[in-house]
Amino acid sequence: MSEHTMRAVTIREFGGPEVLTAERVARPEPLPTEVLVRVHAAGINPVDWKTRAGQGMAGLQTLPMILGWDVSGVVEEVGFGVTTLAPGDEVYGMPWFPRAAGAYAEFVTAPSRHFARKPASVGHVEAAGLPLAALTAWQALVDTAGVKAGQRVLVHAAAGGVGHLAVQFARHLGAEVVATAREPRHAWLKELGADEVIDYTRQPFEDVTGDIDVVIDLIGTLDDTDARSVSVTRPGGLVVAIPGGVSERLATVAGQAGVRTSPFLVEPDATALHTIAGLVDSGKVRVEVERSFALEEAAEAHRLGETNRTRGKLVLTVN
Protein backbone atom coordinates (compact mmCIF):
# COMPACT_ATOMS: atom_id res chain seq x y z
CA MET A 1 0.00 0.00 0.00
CA SER A 2 1.06 3.60 -0.56
CA GLU A 3 3.04 5.23 2.21
CA HIS A 4 0.67 8.18 1.80
CA THR A 5 -2.38 6.24 3.03
CA MET A 6 -3.25 4.34 6.19
CA ARG A 7 -5.89 2.06 7.69
CA ALA A 8 -8.52 3.82 9.76
CA VAL A 9 -12.04 3.42 11.09
CA THR A 10 -14.23 6.29 9.97
CA ILE A 11 -17.81 7.46 10.37
CA ARG A 12 -19.59 9.30 7.57
CA GLU A 13 -22.84 9.73 9.45
CA PHE A 14 -23.85 9.60 13.09
CA GLY A 15 -25.65 6.48 14.21
CA GLY A 16 -25.21 3.00 15.67
CA PRO A 17 -22.05 0.88 15.72
CA GLU A 18 -22.71 -0.13 12.11
CA VAL A 19 -21.59 3.34 10.90
CA LEU A 20 -18.00 2.50 11.89
CA THR A 21 -16.26 1.58 8.65
CA ALA A 22 -12.69 0.33 8.12
CA GLU A 23 -11.08 1.91 5.05
CA ARG A 24 -7.92 3.49 3.74
CA VAL A 25 -7.55 7.24 4.11
CA ALA A 26 -4.82 9.83 3.62
CA ARG A 27 -2.01 9.61 6.14
CA PRO A 28 -1.52 12.87 8.08
CA GLU A 29 1.72 14.86 8.00
CA PRO A 30 3.09 16.70 11.03
CA LEU A 31 3.17 20.49 11.02
CA PRO A 32 5.82 22.46 12.92
CA THR A 33 5.71 21.60 16.67
CA GLU A 34 3.80 18.39 15.88
CA VAL A 35 4.76 14.72 15.92
CA LEU A 36 3.59 11.86 13.74
CA VAL A 37 2.82 8.87 15.96
CA ARG A 38 2.45 5.32 14.67
CA VAL A 39 -0.48 4.08 16.72
CA HIS A 40 -0.07 0.67 18.36
CA ALA A 41 -3.27 0.80 20.40
CA ALA A 42 -6.22 3.15 20.85
CA GLY A 43 -8.37 3.29 23.96
CA ILE A 44 -12.17 3.39 23.78
CA ASN A 45 -14.20 5.71 26.00
CA PRO A 46 -17.91 6.47 26.51
CA VAL A 47 -17.41 9.79 24.70
CA ASP A 48 -16.47 7.75 21.61
CA TRP A 49 -19.78 5.92 21.28
CA LYS A 50 -21.77 8.97 22.40
CA THR A 51 -20.10 11.04 19.67
CA ARG A 52 -20.64 8.27 17.13
CA ALA A 53 -24.34 8.34 18.00
CA GLY A 54 -24.57 12.11 17.48
CA GLN A 55 -24.20 13.08 21.14
CA GLY A 56 -21.02 13.63 23.19
CA MET A 57 -18.68 15.84 21.16
CA ALA A 58 -20.59 15.38 17.89
CA GLY A 59 -21.42 19.08 17.64
CA LEU A 60 -17.71 19.93 17.45
CA GLN A 61 -16.88 17.46 14.68
CA THR A 62 -16.92 17.54 10.89
CA LEU A 63 -17.92 14.41 8.99
CA PRO A 64 -16.40 12.18 7.82
CA MET A 65 -14.27 11.76 10.92
CA ILE A 66 -12.02 9.23 12.58
CA LEU A 67 -13.07 8.58 16.17
CA GLY A 68 -10.86 8.11 19.20
CA TRP A 69 -8.70 10.19 21.52
CA ASP A 70 -6.60 7.66 23.47
CA VAL A 71 -3.29 6.85 21.81
CA SER A 72 -0.28 4.72 22.63
CA GLY A 73 2.42 4.32 20.02
CA VAL A 74 5.84 5.29 18.72
CA VAL A 75 6.98 8.61 17.34
CA GLU A 76 7.59 8.15 13.63
CA GLU A 77 8.51 11.70 12.65
CA VAL A 78 8.83 15.11 14.30
CA GLY A 79 7.96 18.49 12.84
CA PHE A 80 10.16 21.56 12.93
CA GLY A 81 10.72 22.92 16.41
CA VAL A 82 10.02 19.74 18.38
CA THR A 83 12.67 19.28 21.06
CA THR A 84 10.99 17.11 23.70
CA LEU A 85 10.45 13.96 21.62
CA ALA A 86 12.37 12.10 18.92
CA PRO A 87 11.64 9.31 16.43
CA GLY A 88 11.51 5.98 18.23
CA ASP A 89 10.13 7.37 21.50
CA GLU A 90 7.24 5.37 22.95
CA VAL A 91 4.49 7.80 23.90
CA TYR A 92 0.91 7.97 25.06
CA GLY A 93 -1.57 10.80 25.11
CA MET A 94 -5.01 12.26 24.55
CA PRO A 95 -4.37 14.68 21.68
CA TRP A 96 -6.68 17.50 20.59
CA PHE A 97 -9.63 16.71 22.86
CA PRO A 98 -12.43 17.72 22.37
CA ARG A 99 -11.50 18.27 18.70
CA ALA A 100 -11.11 15.12 16.62
CA ALA A 101 -7.82 13.31 17.17
CA GLY A 102 -8.38 10.34 14.87
CA ALA A 103 -6.99 7.65 17.16
CA TYR A 104 -8.74 4.74 15.42
CA ALA A 105 -6.04 4.75 12.76
CA GLU A 106 -2.47 3.70 12.03
CA PHE A 107 -1.12 7.23 12.46
CA VAL A 108 -2.05 10.44 14.24
CA THR A 109 -0.47 13.88 14.32
CA ALA A 110 -0.69 16.36 17.19
CA PRO A 111 1.40 18.90 19.09
CA SER A 112 4.32 17.14 20.75
CA ARG A 113 3.26 18.42 24.15
CA HIS A 114 -0.04 16.55 23.94
CA PHE A 115 2.02 13.39 24.50
CA ALA A 116 4.28 12.04 27.22
CA ARG A 117 6.55 9.03 27.32
CA LYS A 118 4.39 6.05 28.10
CA PRO A 119 4.85 4.07 31.32
CA ALA A 120 7.79 1.75 30.72
CA SER A 121 6.32 -1.05 32.83
CA VAL A 122 3.25 -1.66 30.62
CA GLY A 123 2.67 -2.42 26.97
CA HIS A 124 0.84 -0.28 24.45
CA VAL A 125 -2.53 -1.93 25.10
CA GLU A 126 -2.48 -0.99 28.77
CA ALA A 127 -1.02 2.45 28.07
CA ALA A 128 -3.78 3.16 25.53
CA GLY A 129 -6.34 2.57 28.27
CA LEU A 130 -4.93 5.37 30.39
CA PRO A 131 -4.93 8.87 28.88
CA LEU A 132 -8.53 10.12 28.80
CA ALA A 133 -9.70 8.16 31.82
CA ALA A 134 -6.61 8.87 33.91
CA LEU A 135 -6.50 12.56 33.01
CA THR A 136 -10.21 12.90 33.82
CA ALA A 137 -9.73 11.34 37.24
CA TRP A 138 -6.50 13.21 37.99
CA GLN A 139 -7.66 16.64 36.87
CA ALA A 140 -10.99 16.26 38.70
CA LEU A 141 -9.37 15.18 41.96
CA VAL A 142 -6.21 17.28 41.92
CA ASP A 143 -6.89 20.39 39.87
CA THR A 144 -10.63 20.85 40.39
CA ALA A 145 -11.27 19.43 43.86
CA GLY A 146 -7.81 19.81 45.42
CA VAL A 147 -8.28 16.59 47.37
CA LYS A 148 -6.19 16.40 50.54
CA ALA A 149 -5.17 13.62 52.88
CA GLY A 150 -7.87 12.71 55.36
CA GLN A 151 -10.80 13.81 53.22
CA ARG A 152 -13.60 11.45 52.24
CA VAL A 153 -14.10 10.99 48.50
CA LEU A 154 -17.13 9.30 46.92
CA VAL A 155 -16.57 7.84 43.43
CA HIS A 156 -19.68 6.85 41.49
CA ALA A 157 -19.40 4.17 38.76
CA ALA A 158 -16.12 3.18 40.34
CA ALA A 159 -15.63 0.01 38.29
CA GLY A 160 -15.47 1.85 34.97
CA GLY A 161 -12.54 3.39 33.15
CA VAL A 162 -12.42 6.72 34.97
CA GLY A 163 -13.81 5.31 38.19
CA HIS A 164 -11.22 2.62 38.89
CA LEU A 165 -8.43 5.12 38.31
CA ALA A 166 -10.14 7.76 40.46
CA VAL A 167 -10.27 5.25 43.32
CA GLN A 168 -6.51 4.70 43.06
CA PHE A 169 -5.62 8.38 42.69
CA ALA A 170 -7.81 9.35 45.65
CA ARG A 171 -6.11 6.68 47.76
CA HIS A 172 -2.69 7.92 46.59
CA LEU A 173 -3.65 11.43 47.71
CA GLY A 174 -4.41 10.08 51.19
CA ALA A 175 -8.20 10.23 51.01
CA GLU A 176 -10.68 7.77 52.45
CA VAL A 177 -12.45 6.32 49.41
CA VAL A 178 -16.11 5.34 49.14
CA ALA A 179 -17.10 3.72 45.86
CA THR A 180 -20.36 2.67 44.21
CA ALA A 181 -20.45 -0.42 41.99
CA ARG A 182 -22.26 -3.72 41.58
CA GLU A 183 -21.35 -6.38 44.13
CA PRO A 184 -19.17 -8.56 41.83
CA ARG A 185 -16.69 -5.65 41.57
CA HIS A 186 -16.38 -5.02 45.30
CA ALA A 187 -13.39 -7.23 46.10
CA TRP A 188 -11.47 -5.84 43.13
CA LEU A 189 -12.20 -2.22 44.08
CA LYS A 190 -11.03 -2.86 47.62
CA GLU A 191 -7.79 -4.23 46.19
CA LEU A 192 -7.43 -0.94 44.32
CA GLY A 193 -7.85 1.06 47.53
CA ALA A 194 -11.55 1.60 48.18
CA ASP A 195 -12.34 1.63 51.92
CA GLU A 196 -16.06 1.17 51.43
CA VAL A 197 -17.98 -0.14 48.41
CA ILE A 198 -21.75 0.21 48.02
CA ASP A 199 -23.91 -1.85 45.68
CA TYR A 200 -26.22 0.86 44.35
CA THR A 201 -28.60 -1.79 42.95
CA ARG A 202 -29.38 -3.12 46.41
CA GLN A 203 -29.59 0.01 48.53
CA PRO A 204 -29.49 3.76 47.97
CA PHE A 205 -25.97 4.97 48.61
CA GLU A 206 -27.31 7.87 50.68
CA ASP A 207 -28.72 5.39 53.21
CA VAL A 208 -25.32 3.95 54.09
CA THR A 209 -22.70 6.67 53.73
CA GLY A 210 -22.18 10.36 54.45
CA ASP A 211 -19.75 13.08 55.56
CA ILE A 212 -18.29 13.19 52.05
CA ASP A 213 -15.93 16.02 51.13
CA VAL A 214 -15.72 15.40 47.37
CA VAL A 215 -18.05 13.50 45.04
CA ILE A 216 -16.66 12.39 41.68
CA ASP A 217 -19.97 11.91 39.88
CA LEU A 218 -19.56 9.79 36.74
CA ILE A 219 -23.28 9.06 36.40
CA GLY A 220 -25.03 12.44 36.37
CA THR A 221 -28.79 12.81 36.16
CA LEU A 222 -29.50 9.08 35.72
CA ASP A 223 -31.58 8.01 38.76
CA ASP A 224 -31.04 11.55 40.08
CA THR A 225 -27.57 10.46 41.19
CA ASP A 226 -26.07 13.96 41.00
CA ALA A 227 -28.72 15.61 43.17
CA ARG A 228 -28.90 12.67 45.58
CA SER A 229 -25.15 13.00 46.11
CA VAL A 230 -25.70 16.37 47.77
CA SER A 231 -27.38 14.68 50.76
CA VAL A 232 -24.19 12.80 51.62
CA THR A 233 -21.85 15.77 51.11
CA ARG A 234 -20.73 18.01 53.93
CA PRO A 235 -21.63 21.71 53.76
CA GLY A 236 -18.81 23.34 51.82
CA GLY A 237 -18.01 20.05 50.10
CA LEU A 238 -17.88 19.66 46.34
CA VAL A 239 -19.77 17.62 43.74
CA VAL A 240 -17.79 17.38 40.49
CA ALA A 241 -20.39 16.75 37.78
CA ILE A 242 -18.55 15.04 34.95
CA PRO A 243 -20.95 13.45 32.41
CA GLY A 244 -23.13 16.44 31.53
CA GLY A 245 -22.17 19.29 33.79
CA VAL A 246 -24.22 20.83 36.60
CA SER A 247 -27.91 20.22 35.99
CA GLU A 248 -30.49 22.76 37.08
CA ARG A 249 -31.76 20.41 39.77
CA LEU A 250 -28.25 19.75 41.10
CA ALA A 251 -27.52 23.48 41.27
CA THR A 252 -30.77 24.11 43.18
CA VAL A 253 -30.37 21.25 45.67
CA ALA A 254 -26.70 21.99 46.26
CA GLY A 255 -27.33 25.69 46.76
CA GLN A 256 -29.94 24.95 49.40
CA ALA A 257 -27.54 22.61 51.22
CA GLY A 258 -24.46 24.85 51.03
CA VAL A 259 -22.64 22.33 48.82
CA ARG A 260 -20.41 23.50 45.98
CA THR A 261 -20.71 22.12 42.45
CA SER A 262 -18.41 22.17 39.45
CA PRO A 263 -18.75 21.11 35.82
CA PHE A 264 -15.75 19.38 34.31
CA LEU A 265 -14.21 18.55 30.95
CA VAL A 266 -10.82 16.90 30.57
CA GLU A 267 -7.96 18.64 28.72
CA PRO A 268 -4.72 17.42 27.11
CA ASP A 269 -2.04 17.54 29.79
CA ALA A 270 1.44 16.12 29.20
CA THR A 271 2.63 17.15 32.68
CA ALA A 272 -0.09 15.11 34.36
CA LEU A 273 0.57 12.20 32.00
CA HIS A 274 4.21 12.23 33.09
CA THR A 275 3.12 12.07 36.75
CA ILE A 276 0.63 9.29 36.01
CA ALA A 277 3.29 7.28 34.17
CA GLY A 278 5.46 7.52 37.27
CA LEU A 279 2.65 6.21 39.46
CA VAL A 280 2.10 3.29 37.09
CA ASP A 281 5.80 2.45 36.93
CA SER A 282 6.10 2.59 40.71
CA GLY A 283 3.24 0.09 41.08
CA LYS A 284 0.96 2.56 42.87
CA VAL A 285 -1.60 2.65 40.04
CA ARG A 286 -2.68 0.06 37.52
CA VAL A 287 -5.04 0.20 34.59
CA GLU A 288 -7.52 -2.58 33.97
CA VAL A 289 -8.15 -3.56 30.35
CA GLU A 290 -11.03 -6.00 30.18
CA ARG A 291 -10.65 -6.78 26.50
CA SER A 292 -8.82 -5.70 23.37
CA PHE A 293 -10.11 -5.79 19.80
CA ALA A 294 -8.52 -5.50 16.38
CA LEU A 295 -9.00 -2.12 14.73
CA GLU A 296 -11.53 -3.57 12.29
CA GLU A 297 -13.61 -4.82 15.25
CA ALA A 298 -14.40 -1.31 16.47
CA ALA A 299 -18.15 -1.79 16.02
CA GLU A 300 -18.10 -4.90 18.22
CA ALA A 301 -16.10 -3.03 20.83
CA HIS A 302 -18.63 -0.19 20.85
CA ARG A 303 -21.50 -2.63 21.29
CA LEU A 304 -19.80 -4.10 24.36
CA GLY A 305 -18.90 -0.68 25.75
CA GLU A 306 -22.46 0.56 25.46
CA THR A 307 -23.65 -2.13 27.87
CA ASN A 308 -21.90 -0.13 30.62
CA ARG A 309 -20.90 -3.38 32.27
CA THR A 310 -17.20 -3.50 31.45
CA ARG A 311 -14.53 -3.62 34.11
CA GLY A 312 -12.02 -0.88 33.39
CA LYS A 313 -11.23 -0.20 29.73
CA LEU A 314 -11.66 -1.54 26.20
CA VAL A 315 -8.83 -1.05 23.68
CA LEU A 316 -8.31 -1.39 19.92
CA THR A 317 -5.02 -2.86 18.75
CA VAL A 318 -3.75 -1.17 15.60
CA ASN A 319 -0.23 -2.49 14.91
Side-chain angles (χ1 to χ4, degrees):
M1 291 294 182
S2 169
E3 64 179 11
H4 301 296
T5 65
M6 66 177 183
R7 293 160 50 233
V9 172
T10 66
I11 60 171
R12 297 186 176 275
E13 60 180 339
F14 297 118
E18 69 278 359
V19 304
L20 294 162
T21 303
E23 57 184 296
R24 295 200 72 86
V25 301
R27 172 176 147 173
E29 297 294 334
L31 297 174
T33 76
E34 293 184 350
V35 293
L36 174 70
V37 175
R38 181 183 291 272
V39 180
H40 284 239
I44 299 174
N45 297 284
V47 70
D48 296 18
W49 58 75
K50 290 177 182 178
T51 300
R52 185 215 70 224
Q55 304 163 15
M57 297 300 153
L60 301 177
Q61 314 307 326
T62 300
L63 297 178
M65 70 170 291
I66 301 170
L67 272 175
W69 284 275
D70 275 343
V71 173
S72 184
V74 177
V75 175
E76 184 90 355
E77 183 182 338
V78 300
F80 175 80
V82 174
T83 60
T84 57
L85 295 172
D89 286 342
E90 294 188 318
V91 296
Y92 77 135
M94 184 198 69
W96 295 118
F97 190 85
R99 299 182 184 183
Y104 295 7
E106 289 185 296
F107 293 92
V108 298
T109 55
S112 64
R113 295 175 190 270
H114 285 191
F115 295 98
R117 286 176 174 79
K118 82 168 186 62
S121 59
V122 299
H124 287 292
V125 170
E126 291 81 5
L130 282 165
L132 192 148
L135 286 176
T136 298
W138 185 263
Q139 291 173 3
L141 288 163
V142 176
D143 302 331
T144 302
V147 169
K148 298 177 177 61
Q151 290 186 318
R152 281 171 56 82
V153 173
L154 170 61
V155 180
H156 285 307
V162 176
H164 86 290
L165 292 163
V167 167
Q168 296 175 79
F169 291 153
R171 167 61 74 178
H172 169 71
L173 294 168
E176 183 180 347
V177 184
V178 181
T180 65
R182 291 172 180 264
E183 193 279 331
R185 308 298 195 208
H186 287 198
W188 171 61
L189 287 168
K190 288 182 177 179
E191 288 178 11
L192 296 182
D195 297 283
E196 176 185 352
V197 189
I198 302 166
D199 186 342
Y200 62 91
T201 68
R202 296 184 178 180
Q203 56 191 157
F205 62 86
E206 61 268 35
D207 288 353
V208 291
T209 195
D211 294 324
I212 300 296
D213 294 288
V214 175
V215 177
I216 302 299
D217 177 22
L218 300 166
I219 298 177
T221 58
L222 181 65
D223 295 329
D224 219 19
T225 298
D226 56 350
R228 288 165 53 210
S229 296
V230 172
S231 67
V232 302
T233 305
R234 293 170 177 166
L238 175 66
V239 176
V240 184
I242 293 178
V246 179
S247 67
E248 184 176 344
R249 173 163 167 71
L250 172 59
T252 299
V253 172
Q256 294 170 346
V259 170
R260 296 176 295 130
T261 61
S262 176
F264 177 87
L265 189 63
V266 65
E267 303 174 53
D269 187 345
T271 300
L273 285 174
H274 176 76
T275 300
I276 292 164
L279 292 173
V280 172
D281 285 338
S282 68
K284 295 178 180 177
V285 170
R286 70 178 190 261
V287 60
E288 180 82 7
V289 175
E290 177 170 304
R291 185 175 168 188
S292 63
F293 298 79
L295 180 64
E296 291 76 9
E297 297 174 322
E300 182 183 349
H302 275 224
R303 290 187 184 97
L304 178 58
E306 287 180 296
T307 67
N308 292 318
R309 292 291 178 266
T310 57
R311 169 169 148 164
K313 295 296 298 291
L314 302 174
V315 172
L316 297 177
T317 56
V318 183
N319 287 301

